[in-house]
Amino acid sequence: MPCDIVVCVKQVPHPDYLNKISIDPTGGTIEREGVPALINPGDRNALEEALGIRDRFSGRVIVLTMGPPQARKALEEALAMDADDAIHLCDRAFAGADTLATAQALAYGIRKLEHFDLILCGNTTIDSGTGQVAVQLAELLDLPSIIDAEELTFEDERSLLVKRIWERGYIKVRIKLPAVIAVTAKINQPRLPTVLGIMAATQKEIKNWTAADTGADTGRVGLDGSPTQFFEMSEFHAKRQGEILQGSPEEAVTLAIDKLVEREIL
Ligand SMILES: Cc1cc2nc3c(=O)[nH]c(=O)nc-3n(C[C@H](O)[C@H](O)[C@H](O)COP(=O)(O)OP(=O)(O)OC[C@H]3O[C@@H](n4cnc5c(N)ncnc54)[C@H](O)[C@@H]3O)c2cc1C
């Protein structure tokens, strides 16, 4: 039962450097200069899940990113983790995309593929983290989707049982393939690239597709295709209200708990 899986990966700033990045207050874009980048952590979980499925059932794992030239590094890392193919959607026309324009670009890229059974995404990114792209992608491709997935089990060639978070527990949902599924960090422990993997990756091709290569309508991708646009940025200033609780330590703790419960913090 071969299963061809597309994994959408986004290159994001390294989490150790998140306090070093800034947002351009005029354009709303992230200023990444001098900040190391990596594959969005949740996308590494999506990739690990895809690799596990491929290793069990055969098929190919195709990693897909939309991003500037430096996003190629994310694809190189994914290939070193043992992905089979990599596609880089890279064009000025894709720049400045909001989530819908990002999903549009990914959808154009995916439509160009000869065949796929499943699309895996991370649930959310660690930079802008809207969690919108996977479901928008599913809508654009007219596919079913599930987010918050923590376990995938094949029932047969064309259907999966997905355990997903729901309120304070889980539900299991059956989904027919092809489908888009966004996974959480709990689904698995992503592998690290091995030296052999890194060497093998240098022999694998990364396809560069421009907007024209995918047949994209440039009015639907990038800044021109973005119905949401950055408007204004301001800092949130939290007001602090100190209060010293009187009584013995036990009484003070009980009082503190009561106050937290009252404010629905606990
Ligand atoms: C601070 C900030 C706030 C923003 N708020 C909004 C907003 O409210 N609405 C809006 O439309 N745009 C917003 N944007 C723009 C948004 O960041 C971009 O559209 C971005 O390309 C995708 O959004 P995301 O990182 O939130 O993706 P998410 O929806 O969080 O990503 C989910 C998954 O989709 C896949 N994915 C996402 N981007 C890519 C990619 N480029 N290539 C391959 N796979 C990908 C990955 O698997 C990822 O794990 C914001 C940007 C910033 C900097």
Side-chain angles (χ1 to χ4, degrees), residues 62-115:
I62 305 139
V63 280
L64 174 68
T65 196
M66 182 208 78
Q70 57 268 31
R72 183 182 174 89
K73 270 242 155 285
L75 296 178
E76 286 169 358
E77 189 187 336
L79 290 174
M81 284 172 72
D82 207 20
D84 300 290
D85 303 298
I87 299 164
H88 188 178
L89 302 174
C90 187
D91 194 317
R92 291 290 316 154
F94 292 133
D98 71 355
T99 59
L100 185 58
T102 299
Q104 285 279 15
L106 298 175
Y108 278 115
I110 290 169
R111 284 193 205 101
K112 201 174 138 76
L113 298 174
E114 267 171 35
H115 177 257

Side-chain angles (χ1 to χ4, degrees), residues 8-10 43 66 97-99 102 122 125 128 130-133 228:
C8 297
V9 300
K10 182 184 180 188
D43 305 353
M66 182 208 78
D98 71 355
T99 59
T102 299
T125 58
S128 32
T130 62
Q132 297 173 3
V133 169
T228 63

Side-chain angles (χ1 to χ4, degrees), residues 85-232:
D85 303 298
I87 299 164
H88 188 178
L89 302 174
C90 187
D91 194 317
R92 291 290 316 154
F94 292 133
D98 71 355
T99 59
L100 185 58
T102 299
Q104 285 279 15
L106 298 175
Y108 278 115
I110 290 169
R111 284 193 205 101
K112 201 174 138 76
L113 298 174
E114 267 171 35
H115 177 257
F116 67 90
D117 300 288
L118 178 61
I119 299 169
L120 293 181
C121 294
N123 233 10
T124 183
T125 58
I126 59 163
D127 54 355
S128 32
T130 62
Q132 297 173 3
V133 169
V135 281
Q136 289 174 333
L137 179 61
E139 280 297 307
L140 292 170
L141 294 172
D142 201 17
L143 296 177
S145 67
I146 294 179
I147 59 164
D148 291 334
E150 291 209 347
E151 194 180 284
L152 310 185
T153 313
F154 274 86
E155 286 201 305
D156 57 52
E157 278 187 34
R158 301 318 298 167
S159 84
L160 271 174
L161 213 49
V162 179
K163 183 177 161 193
R164 56 151 300 175
I165 302 169
W166 186 67
E167 303 256 319
R168 291 182 182 193
Y170 295 98
I171 49 172
K172 282 195 174 176
V173 186
R174 179 173 292 123
I175 190 164
K176 291 212 175 304
L177 300 186
V180 181
I181 299 177
V183 306
T184 76
K186 288 200 187 143
I187 196 165
N188 56 37
Q189 180 65 46
R191 70 192 67 187
L192 291 171
T194 60
V195 174
L196 281 181
I198 294 167
M199 283 162 66
T202 60
Q203 305 303 313
K204 297 178 187 171
E205 185 200 358
I206 296 178
K207 293 193 177 86
N208 287 297
W209 287 353
T210 62
D213 290 332
T214 64
D217 172 349
T218 48
R220 287 180 182 271
V221 296
L223 193 60
D224 287 349
S226 295
T228 63
Q229 311 242 319
F230 179 82
F231 179 64
E232 189 182 66

